Amino acid sequence: MARYIAFDVETPNYANDRMSAIGITVIDNGCITAEFATLVNPETHFDSFNIELTGIMPEAAAKAPTFAQLWPRIQPILDSGLLLAHNAPFDMAVLSKCLQAYGIQWHHYVPYACTCAMSRRCCPSLANHKLDTLCRYYGIALDHHQASSDSHACAQLFLDMHAEEVALHDCRRTYDLYRARTVKGGLPG
């Protein structure tokens, strides 16, 4: 098994174009080997819905590093393996919009896999494929909408589904960070 980087972001408002938290969980050779999580100062307003959902208060986030300050620390981690997220197009879009907002050049195209898509193949009979539903099904501890817990749960979910031999190549996609969208049919020419 290769190296995988499960990540989860929380956002401060409906625009979903900035992070208020990020959690990253590293999988090496079938084991969780490292975890990183932090609040992020989004340098924008918070909606009451997001505060209630995540419990992240604007005052706490204001003391955290901005995405631009955090990027030198998380970029090498994100570069070190295949990105994973649950409902990955959401997390990839937020990452893309943060990179654009701060004028940070990274990759144009980034491969990723979505544990939500994997779960639809692995557990087609479940009523839904939300992270909390899957964590209950697999017996994975979850403090939902906490980036550290969500990224850890995503990593554990990936390991559990991989053990059931879900074909990763069927769920692997490519994300266009410049256009903030998944590329149909994989990496362009």
Side-chain angles (χ1 to χ4, degrees):
M1 183 180 270
R3 184 171 168 100
Y4 302 95
I5 312 300
F7 80 106
D8 179 78
V9 301
E10 301 301 332
T11 60
N13 58 51
Y14 70 92
N16 295 325
D17 60 356
R18 296 291 179 97
M19 296 177 192
S20 53
I22 186 167
I24 302 172
T25 302
V26 178
I27 301 169
D28 270 318
N29 298 313
C31 297
I32 292 173
T33 58
E35 298 189 73
F36 172 79
T38 185
L39 292 179
V40 181
N41 181 347
E43 299 184 297
T44 191
H45 73 281
F46 279 71
D47 289 339
S48 58
F49 173 83
N50 297 68
I51 293 170
E52 187 175 322
L53 183 70
T54 66
I56 299 170
M57 300 302 293
E59 304 79 25
K63 297 174 186 170
T66 65
F67 180 80
Q69 292 167 333
L70 189 59
W71 182 246
R73 182 163 183 196
I74 64 173
Q75 181 265 328
I77 303 169
L78 296 178
D79 258 338
S80 69
L82 178 68
L83 297 183
L84 302 173
H86 196 78
N87 191 21
F90 172 83
D91 298 274
M92 295 299 293
V94 175
L95 176 61
S96 171
K97 291 171 187 175
C98 285
L99 289 165
Q100 290 175 26
Y102 287 97
I104 298 170
Q105 295 290 315
W106 190 34
H107 305 293
H108 187 159
Y109 300 104
V110 177
Y112 74 92
C114 178
T115 54
C116 185
M118 291 176 73
S119 72
R120 288 187 182 106
R121 293 177 182 273
C122 191
C123 313
S125 62
L126 289 179
N128 65 60
H129 296 87
K130 296 177 182 177
L131 185 59
D132 56 343
T133 301
L134 290 159
C135 286
R136 280 192 300 276
Y137 179 78
Y138 280 98
I140 298 168
L142 177 68
D143 186 4
H144 204 16
H145 299 297
Q146 301 302 304
S148 60
S149 182
D150 287 2
S151 72
H152 183 91
C154 176
Q156 190 59 57
L157 184 60
F158 173 79
L159 290 170
D160 289 350
M161 288 188 295
H162 197 273
E164 294 181 27
E165 300 185 9
V166 173
L168 177 62
H169 69 277
D170 291 340
C171 301
R172 191 175 167 142
R173 303 285 182 265
T174 300
Y175 202 84
D176 182 336
L177 288 172
Y178 293 0
R179 294 190 178 108
R181 65 180 175 88
T182 297
V183 177
K184 300 287 185 208
L187 190 61

